[in-house]
Amino acid sequence: MLRRFSFLFFLICISLKLAAQTLATDSVSKENLTINEVTLIKDQQQKQIDSLVSIQLKKQLSAAQGDQAKTRELEAKLKEISRNDSLRTIQQTAEIKKLKQHAVGYPVVLNQDTLFTIFTRTGSFSAKERAAGISKKIQTLYEDAFYAPDSLQIRSTADNFDLVYKNEEIILSVSNLDGLWFGKNNAQLSSDYLAKIRNAIKAERAAHSLTNWLKRIGFCVLILIALYLLVSAISWLFSKSRTYIQMRSRRIINGLKLGKLKIIAAKDLEMVFVKLNNFLQIVTTLLIIYLSLPLLFSVFPETESWTNTLLNWILAPLRAAFSGILAYLPNLFTIGVIYLIFKFALKAVRYFFIEIGKGNIQLNGFHADWAIPTFNILRFILYAFMLVIIFPYLPGSGSAAFQGVSVFLGILISLGSSSAITNIVAGLVITYMRPFKRGDRVKIGEVTGDIIEKTMLVTRIRTIKNEDVTVPNSMVLSSSTVNYSAQAGPLGLILHYEVTLGYDVDWKKAYELLISAALKTEYILNDPAPFVLQTRLDDYYVSYEINAYTREAGKQALIYSKLLENIQDEIAAAGIELLSPAYNVIRKE
């Protein structure tokens, strides 16, 4: 009889297993579950069947005491079931782990507060639909004026646990897959959900009571009053600072300077600081008002979620900036070290060339007036080399945008500075050619005057009429340059002028008159003595050229004027008529 019952029981178990597999297969086709979820459902159903079989085998084992063969057979079946159960548990854990890698959870909420998260489906409802339906039902319970917490209870079925309200409405169902997902049994997970729902409804009802609303309104009024007082205090403080700035700015005569560089004039200093004070007042006031908004929004549950949003609008950029600064500190330290190395190197180079300029250090073939221009060139090269080294450490230097802007600026500079580069190169060539120096009287092209400035791009000349003429260095290099001052100091500049006299005037007398006129001229040197050259013997006259030395190259116009005056006086005193020999005048006595 017992064997028949056992055989019948095994047939029933096998039938249940086949039915469960059939139901699981149908469920997959109808509900479109993933392969992993189907496997978990099958494994869980098999586990339940094995549990029933294990119970029955244990009963048979108790009844078969004394029958060793039967006992060994039953014990072997129990061990097989236990081993399969352990392997199944390991497999379920691995499958759950795979599902969690790509699973998306959907929150169950009450008044924007998340109670718990749904990851698995039930029947034909997806996780998203389950979460939305449960949230809607919990919201209905919260809005029910006759809600009773004790009416929300757990009801167990064959495989699931349901949370029902008043034994009528099912709020949610906890399936085997839910328990597997969280690593809990269905009863324990149902109890957790029940406690969370009850506590959430209780807390929300308490938070939205009339007493709490009155407290919140009162707290908002206090915040607004405190905000008004704080804004008034800020306004008073900045008005005092504005008065102080006006008083202090009137005492400043020299304005704002950075070393020798004048940044802001004294008359504009007060306006600048007053505007800066007003700007800081506006920024501070707006910041205080903005920071008070999260405090106001946090008072009411409906707007409490806005608090973090408003704070993140300020705190997120600040955190990002602070994190960026901290991450950039090593590069900043590296840039500082590189700058200090080049700074002290430049000081050493500058000292060396200044000593060359003073004549304390002499190099063969290197003129002293080359020292400062050469130092400027080396300084430019060193700074350029320093920037090349520093560039990779600049923030954003590796980004495509930064590199694109750098290339764009390089192209603009290359295309727009061709003439400037030509003048710079010409300025370098002129510097090392040394055709003139500052203060020299020169003639460049058609311009005659004194050199007042010589830069890398242009040369400025002041004419004898006090006109400042700017000549590009490329034009200076391509034009002939006459320097009147180069030899005026050591040898003397020779001034010369041509006078024509007739053949009736003895040439020795002409020499004597012209030399006498030159010696009477101011700034003409007696030693070396003036001299006369005959340049032409024309048809009607002889051309005489008076040559005289002077060291005042910058006073040529005055010297020529005085020389011509003295020539006229000397010739007139000698009774010689200073007319063109080809021109005859008949006068009446």
Side-chain angles (χ1 to χ4, degrees):
M1 185 69 181
L2 182 59
R3 290 182 179 180
R4 291 180 180 178
F5 178 77
S6 301
F7 178 73
L8 182 60
F9 180 77
F10 277 113
L11 288 177
I12 294 173
C13 291
I14 292 172
S15 300
L16 287 173
K17 182 177 180 180
L18 293 174
Q21 291 177 351
T22 303
L23 289 173
T25 304
D26 294 340
S27 176
V28 169
S29 60
K30 292 179 180 179
E31 300 174 9
N32 195 23
L33 297 176
T34 63
I35 296 175
N36 289 340
E37 290 175 331
V38 171
T39 303
L40 288 172
I41 292 173
K42 289 180 178 180
D43 290 343
Q44 191 66 14
Q45 291 173 345
Q46 183 62 47
K47 187 175 182 179
Q48 293 176 354
I49 294 173
D50 289 346
S51 178
L52 295 175
V53 173
S54 178
I55 293 172
Q56 184 60 34
L57 290 175
K58 287 179 181 179
K59 291 182 179 179
Q60 293 181 13
L61 183 61
S62 298
Q65 290 180 357
D67 189 347
Q68 294 182 356
K70 187 64 175 178
T71 300
R72 284 194 299 269
E73 180 184 355
L74 294 174
E75 287 177 350
K77 290 181 179 180
L78 287 172
K79 289 179 180 180
E80 180 68 19
I81 292 174
S82 178
R83 183 171 58 255
N84 292 336
D85 186 61
S86 299
L87 293 175
R88 194 178 296 111
T89 302
I90 295 173
Q91 184 180 1
Q92 287 177 344
T93 304
E95 295 295 338
I96 289 291
K97 188 176 181 180
K98 290 180 182 179
L99 284 174
K100 287 183 177 180
Q101 291 177 354
H102 305 287
V104 178
Y106 297 93
V108 174
V109 297
L110 174 61
N111 291 341
Q112 300 180 351
D113 291 335
T114 300
L115 306 186
F116 48 87
T117 306
I118 300 296
F119 291 92
T120 58
R121 65 176 67 215
T122 296
S124 61
F125 295 99
S126 65
K128 183 178 181 180
E129 293 171 339
R130 284 186 67 195
I134 295 171
S135 299
K136 185 177 181 180
K137 291 181 178 180
I138 294 175
Q139 184 69 31
T140 303
L141 292 180
Y142 165 75
E143 295 174 355
D144 188 0
F146 302 100
Y147 165 75
D150 295 336
S151 299
L152 185 62
Q153 296 176 349
I154 299 175
R155 184 174 63 189
S156 62
T157 58
D159 296 327
N160 300 333
F161 282 77
D162 297 332
L163 265 67
V164 297
Y165 183 65
K166 294 182 179 179
N167 294 323
E168 296 177 359
E169 184 178 1
I170 298 176
I171 306 301
L172 65 88
S173 296
V174 178
S175 64
N176 294 327
L177 196 56
D178 292 323
L180 287 173
W181 188 272
F182 292 102
K184 300 179 180 180
N185 58 57
N186 294 351
Q188 184 180 0
L189 186 60
S190 301
S191 299
D192 292 344
Y193 285 165
L194 178 63
K196 289 179 180 179
I197 294 172
R198 284 178 176 177
N199 293 335
I201 294 175
K202 181 180 179 181
E204 287 296 317
R205 282 176 169 267
H208 290 79
S209 63
L210 180 60
T211 303
N212 285 330
W213 270 97
L214 293 176
K215 288 180 181 179
R216 293 190 183 99
I217 293 173
F219 189 59
C220 288
V221 172
L222 290 177
I223 293 175
L224 293 175
I225 293 173
L227 178 62
Y228 173 78
L229 294 176
L230 186 58
V231 171
S232 300
I234 291 172
S235 178
W236 176 84
L237 182 63
F238 277 96
S239 65
K240 291 294 182 182
S241 63
R242 189 181 303 109
T243 304
Y244 177 77
I245 290 171
Q246 292 172 347
M247 293 176 60
R248 293 290 298 177
S249 299
R250 291 165 187 169
R251 300 179 186 177
I252 300 176
I253 301 175
N254 298 325
L256 185 62
K257 291 185 176 181
L258 183 60
K260 294 183 179 180
L261 179 63
K262 191 172 184 179
I263 300 176
I264 303 175
K267 62 179 181 179
D268 299 327
L269 194 60
E270 178 181 346
M271 178 188 67
V272 170
F273 281 109
V274 168
K275 287 188 176 181
L276 180 61
N277 182 81
N278 294 338
F279 175 75
L280 291 176
Q281 180 182 355
I282 293 173
V283 171
T284 306
T285 302
L286 291 177
L287 185 62
I288 292 296
I289 294 174
Y290 183 84
L291 292 178
S292 66
L293 292 178
L295 186 60
L296 285 171
F297 290 151
S298 64
V299 174
F300 297 96
E302 290 80 1
T303 59
E304 190 174 2
S305 60
W306 298 357
T307 302
N308 292 332
T309 302
L310 292 174
L311 289 176
N312 283 332
W313 286 353
I314 289 183
L315 295 180
L318 290 178
R319 282 195 297 266
F322 184 71
S323 300
I325 292 172
L326 288 180
Y328 186 67
L329 285 179
N331 289 346
L332 185 63
F333 179 77
T334 304
I335 291 174
V337 171
I338 294 172
Y339 171 76
L340 290 176
I341 292 173
F342 276 88
K343 180 180 179 181
F344 288 110
L346 277 172
K347 284 187 175 182
V349 173
R350 182 174 180 272
Y351 172 79
F352 177 73
F353 281 102
I354 286 177
E355 291 300 311
I356 291 178
K358 292 179 179 178
N360 298 331
I361 299 176
Q362 295 181 355
L363 298 176
N364 292 332
F366 192 90
H367 298 279
D369 55 351
W370 288 354
I372 299 304
T374 305
F375 168 70
N376 291 331
I377 294 171
L378 286 177
R379 180 172 60 180
F380 174 79
I381 293 173
L382 286 174
Y383 274 129
F385 185 58
M386 182 184 70
L387 289 176
V388 170
I389 296 176
I390 288 176
F391 182 83
Y393 297 99
L394 295 177
S397 60
S399 64
F402 193 96
Q403 294 172 355
V405 171
S406 302
V407 172
F408 178 70
L409 292 178
I411 294 173
L412 286 182
I413 294 173
S414 300
L415 296 177
S417 62
S418 57
S419 60
I421 293 174
T422 303
N423 287 321
I424 290 174
V425 173
L428 292 175
V429 175
I430 291 170
T431 297
Y432 290 97
M433 284 175 56
R434 303 172 66 235
F436 49 75
K437 62 180 182 296
R438 186 174 179 179
D440 286 354
R441 171 61 63 89
V442 298
K443 181 180 180 181
I444 300 175
E446 300 297 327
V447 181
T448 302
D450 298 328
I451 300 295
I452 60 175
E453 187 179 6
K454 184 175 64 172
T455 66
M456 296 296 291
L457 293 173
V458 297
T459 299
R460 289 187 173 87
I461 303 173
R462 181 165 294 164
T463 67
I464 59 176
K465 303 299 184 183
N466 283 334
E467 300 168 337
D468 289 350
V469 180
T470 300
V471 183
N473 284 337
S474 58
M475 185 178 295
V476 175
L477 189 62
S478 61
S479 303
S480 59
T481 302
V482 179
N483 192 332
Y484 297 106
S485 302
Q487 299 299 326
L491 300 177
L493 176 67
I494 298 177
L495 303 181
H496 54 89
Y497 192 81
E498 189 177 87
V499 178
T500 58
L501 298 174
Y503 284 98
D504 58 330
V505 179
D506 184 23
W507 63 270
K508 295 179 181 178
K509 183 64 174 178
Y511 278 28
E512 181 183 347
L513 293 174
L514 291 175
I515 290 173
S516 176
L519 291 174
K520 291 181 180 180
T521 303
E522 187 178 5
Y523 303 118
I524 294 295
L525 299 176
N526 295 330
D527 185 21
F531 60 93
V532 179
L533 300 174
Q534 294 188 36
T535 57
R536 291 190 308 276
L537 296 175
D538 291 324
D539 295 336
Y540 304 104
Y541 53 82
V542 179
S543 296
Y544 299 93
E545 184 184 73
I546 176 66
N547 295 269
Y549 290 88
T550 182
R551 288 190 171 87
E552 300 295 333
K555 298 180 179 179
Q556 293 183 59
L558 177 62
I559 295 173
Y560 273 116
S561 179
K562 293 294 183 182
L563 177 61
L564 296 181
E565 291 174 2
N566 291 333
I567 289 173
Q568 293 181 69
D569 291 342
E570 290 294 320
I571 291 177
I576 300 173
E577 190 170 12
L578 192 61
L579 291 173
S580 171
Y583 180 73
N584 296 320
V585 177
I586 301 176
R587 294 185 178 92
K588 294 180 179 180
E589 297 295 339

